[in-house]
Amino acid sequence: MLFVFCALVFGFCVPYMARRFNKFMPATFAGALVELFRHEKKLKAIRKTKLYKKFMWRSLMCGLFSALVVALGLFFTSNIAPAFLTLYICLLLLLAEIDFRSLLLPDILTIPLLLLGVFVACFGLSNLQIEDSVIGAMVGYFLPVLVCLLIVWYKKDAFGGGDIKLLSALGAWLGVEGLLNVIAGASILGIVWALVQRKKSLAFGPMIAIAGIVVAILRF
């Protein structure tokens, strides 16, 4: 219950954190923390507006959704430490929201996620061996790079650097097999979403994040 409650609180803050990341892109965690809590006076001025009420409802829905996903993850998984699974899910949900808003996946979130995946495997906190984690991270990075080299003549920004780093991080958590499942699942979700929205381009990060959560729950 503690981890579900933590996910609820974190999810409630996700829209605010994503909004702050959309306005600035901090280079360090210290800079991120300062900027996240800097504009208290402006917040007081808009707390009675309709926009604020809409923002609060969105935060509430994100909080409940995060708690639900973490609860399902903890219920269906047994081969990973609960605290790290909760952190994994929460970080992916935040990255999905940020990329949906700004089409950017900040390094100060994707790189720690990658290192955390290696750490979990290194100390036996999941059923993934350290060598599988390292190989998965390498494949997650170099496979998209090779794909980009093949399609760069068609569209230079078809695959962003943030997406590559996120896939590398997921490779560290899930291994090569899990990573390939994530890529397949994210591609399917991306095609369906593009058809629904009738758009030729869209943020791919949320699709990767959703697929990464589903594959992790099934894998662990």
Side-chain angles (χ1 to χ4, degrees):
M1 290 298 296
L2 174 61
F3 298 116
V4 175
F5 177 75
C6 291
L8 175 66
V9 174
F10 184 90
F12 185 84
C13 299
V14 161
Y16 175 70
M17 289 188 287
R19 184 171 178 269
R20 296 306 309 149
F21 269 100
N22 191 32
K23 290 181 176 295
F24 72 99
M25 192 57 63
T28 64
F29 282 107
L33 291 174
V34 170
E35 290 294 337
L36 285 173
F37 299 102
R38 173 174 288 179
H39 302 286
E40 183 64 22
K41 292 182 179 180
K42 292 184 179 180
L43 286 175
K44 290 181 179 179
I46 64 171
R47 279 177 179 168
K48 296 182 180 180
T49 64
K50 292 182 178 180
L51 179 62
Y52 179 74
K53 293 178 180 179
K54 181 179 179 180
F55 183 79
M56 290 299 294
W57 272 109
R58 182 176 178 82
S59 295
L60 179 60
M61 292 298 102
C62 285
L64 293 175
F65 180 75
S66 299
L68 176 62
V69 174
V70 168
L72 290 174
L74 295 175
F75 180 79
F76 285 105
T77 61
S78 59
N79 295 319
I80 185 172
F84 289 102
L85 178 64
T86 302
L87 185 57
Y88 170 85
I89 292 174
C90 288
L91 283 176
L92 285 180
L93 291 176
L94 176 58
L95 284 166
E97 180 74 9
I98 293 173
D99 195 39
F100 181 77
R101 284 175 173 268
S102 59
L103 299 178
L104 291 171
L105 291 167
D107 289 351
I108 66 168
L109 294 178
T110 54
I111 300 302
L113 183 64
L114 188 157
L115 297 176
L116 190 61
V118 176
F119 174 86
V120 169
C122 182
F123 287 92
L125 299 172
S126 71
N127 61 351
L128 191 69
Q129 301 297 319
I130 179 62
E131 57 270 19
D132 297 325
S133 176
V134 173
I135 294 174
M138 293 175 62
V139 173
Y141 186 84
F142 288 108
L143 181 60
V145 169
L146 293 176
V147 173
C148 287
L149 291 176
L150 294 175
I151 64 176
V152 68
W153 59 272
Y154 174 70
K155 190 175 182 181
K156 293 183 179 180
D157 58 348
F159 212 81
D163 296 327
I164 294 174
K165 294 171 186 175
L166 179 55
L167 284 173
S168 181
L170 293 181
W173 280 87
L174 306 172
V176 176
E177 181 180 354
L179 174 67
L180 295 178
N181 291 330
V182 168
I183 294 175
S187 299
I188 294 172
L189 289 173
I191 292 172
V192 172
W193 184 248
L195 291 175
V196 171
Q197 295 293 312
R198 297 181 179 179
K199 294 181 179 180
K200 293 183 179 180
S201 61
L202 72 163
F204 196 52
M207 312 305 163
I208 298 175
I210 293 172
I213 292 173
V214 173
V215 171
I217 293 175
L218 295 177
R219 183 176 179 81
F220 293 126

